[in-house]
Amino acid sequence: MIVRPRRLRQTPAIRNMVAETRLSSDMLVYPVFIREGHGILEDIPSLPGQKRYSPDTFPRILEQMSAAGVSSVLLFGLPEHKDEVGTGAWEENGVIQQALRIGKKEFPNLTFIGDVCMCEYTSHGHCGILHGHEVDNDETLEYLTRIAVSQAAAGADIVAPSDMMDGHVAAIRAGLDAAGMKNKIIFSYAVKYASAFYGPFRDAAGSAPAFGDRRAYQMDPRNVREGLKEAEIDIDEGADLVMVKPGLLYLDVLRAVKEISPVPVGTYCVSGEYAMIKAAAANGRIDEQRAVSEAAFSLARAGADVIITYSALDLARWLRDGKIAF
Ligand code: PBG
């Protein structure tokens, strides 16, 4: 035998030398839940290892992030009051706006990303303005723009619309520019599926729809070409980055989007994907560190330039301490 692939697998150093995929903490984004109030530091039962913070305790996790080497945070808000039009999402003193001001002031070098959506702020839990049981796409655009502009004004470097309304990137871009914020970045959840794997998040954020589901706006899991269409539309409308979500179950879509995208492609390893690994590890079925690392490298291998994950801090620490071995 002349060709022996095993020659390159003999030692960790050789395997590391020839590894086709690299992962760095620079690529990682950490999602954080902020609840209105003071002194909040509460465990999230559906997401073991994750906590909810209030704006005043938010710097504690930012401190841990920067110590671990994670420099981007994605913010989700839990307002005290909800209404039909999600006022808490865009009011000047909304929970995310408060957190952004505090966070940006104390950690100016970190990158702050605001999740732009209405479901955590509406009494009905849908991602837009309702008429009867239908989310009105075009009317919702006006509200999404308000949310994005107010988050950017409060200090968000990046706004990330996760609503799946048509035309959302164009509307938000126009709104940011009109408000004199032409350099604020749009990271669009362009290819977002109607997934069962958001279950733990909806518990964490209190954002489950009061009736029905999101299938009239989020994508059908059976489709990949439609995902390319969504990505192309958002890129044409000015998205600076696009996202495929969920990540682990949609590696084929991630690869396909990466192949056509002229902009960086991110992915979100969602709450259900995280919780599944946690549960299997807690049962002793799998090794948590190896499973989380393998999952992250799989996302990178499929083409992710940016990875949003609840495991960001763990991964960054393992990478820093040389604890990830294949
Ligand atoms: C808001 C939003 C959701 C997630 C991110 N942004 C929930 C949803 O669409 O129902 C899910 C994130 C996760 O599951 O980790 N629309």
Side-chain angles (χ1 to χ4, degrees):
M1 260 189 277
I2 296 170
V3 182
R4 287 182 180 273
R6 287 187 54 187
R7 285 190 200 108
L8 293 179
R9 295 180 199 141
Q10 293 181 78
T11 67
I14 294 169
R15 292 195 292 274
N16 288 344
M17 182 178 75
V18 300
E20 294 176 37
T21 306
R22 310 281 164 175
L23 190 69
S24 117
S25 52
D26 300 327
M27 304 161 65
L28 304 175
V29 176
Y30 187 53
V32 171
F33 298 90
I34 312 283
R35 221 185 91 187
E36 210 156 344
H38 291 281
I40 295 167
L41 209 66
E42 62 189 4
D43 289 335
I44 303 176
S46 66
L47 291 173
Q50 307 299 316
K51 289 187 190 329
R52 292 189 199 96
Y53 301 85
S54 44
D56 61 321
T57 59
F58 178 41
R60 297 197 206 176
I61 188 66
L62 295 174
E63 177 70 53
Q64 289 177 42
M65 273 177 50
S66 47
V70 176
S71 56
S72 304
V73 62
L74 171 61
L75 292 180
F76 295 99
L78 288 87
E80 193 65 49
H81 302 289
K82 303 187 185 211
D83 61 26
E84 288 278 299
V85 293
T87 307
W90 76 80
E91 62 191 353
E92 202 188 327
N93 215 25
V95 59
I96 286 306
Q97 288 76 4
Q98 292 175 38
L100 283 166
R101 274 186 228 109
I102 292 174
K104 195 69 193 171
K105 186 163 166 241
E106 295 202 23
F107 291 87
N109 296 328
L110 297 182
T111 302
F112 291 83
I113 310 173
D115 182 87
V116 175
C117 197
M118 307 198 67
C119 58
E120 297 117 62
Y121 305 90
T122 49
S123 42
H124 45 73
H126 277 283
C127 301
I129 302 301
L130 278 187
H131 286 309
H133 275 196
E134 207 180 308
V135 174
D136 185 317
N137 190 91
D138 298 10
E139 197 178 328
T140 300
L141 296 179
E142 201 185 297
Y143 290 86
L144 295 170
T145 303
R146 279 191 211 176
I147 300 171
V149 168
S150 78
Q151 290 182 351
D157 305 286
I158 303 180
V159 290
S162 66
D163 49 276
M164 288 303 282
M165 296 301 124
D166 295 334
H168 62 167
V169 174
I172 289 171
R173 183 74 271 158
L176 289 170
D177 290 1
M181 296 188 283
K182 63 179 189 302
N183 286 327
K184 296 290 183 180
I185 295 163
I186 300 177
F187 186 176
S188 176
Y189 287 71
V191 190
K192 175 171 172 181
Y193 289 89
S195 174
F197 290 83
Y198 306 151
F201 172 96
R202 292 180 187 168
D203 264 357
S207 66
F211 63 86
D213 54 48
R214 307 207 199 290
R215 283 180 254 198
Y217 38 103
Q218 298 181 346
M219 278 181 56
D220 185 324
R222 295 171 292 191
N223 298 346
V224 57
R225 281 181 294 124
E226 188 191 13
L228 300 180
K229 175 168 97 177
E230 285 282 6
E232 279 167 357
I233 293 169
D234 282 13
I235 292 165
D236 283 347
E237 291 181 17
D240 300 289
L241 302 94
V242 291
M243 191 192 307
V244 174
K245 175 189 169 190
L248 291 175
L249 278 97
Y250 295 84
L251 294 176
D252 58 325
V253 181
L254 181 54
R255 166 54 56 196
V257 170
K258 180 59 179 267
E259 275 163 12
I260 59 114
S261 176
V263 304
V265 178
T267 191
Y268 195 144
C269 186
V270 299
S271 56
E273 297 174 324
Y274 170 84
M276 273 199 303
I277 294 179
K278 278 284 183 188
N283 277 333
R285 301 280 191 267
I286 56 171
D287 177 296
E288 183 175 345
Q289 185 186 314
R290 289 186 55 203
V292 169
S293 306
E294 188 176 328
F297 271 93
S298 293
L299 295 166
R301 189 194 63 233
D305 300 301
V306 175
I307 298 172
I308 302 168
T309 169
Y310 301 97
S311 307
L313 270 72
D314 287 339
L315 281 163
R317 289 180 186 129
W318 298 335
L319 287 165
R320 182 192 62 196
D321 300 340
K323 283 203 184 138
I324 298 183
F326 288 96

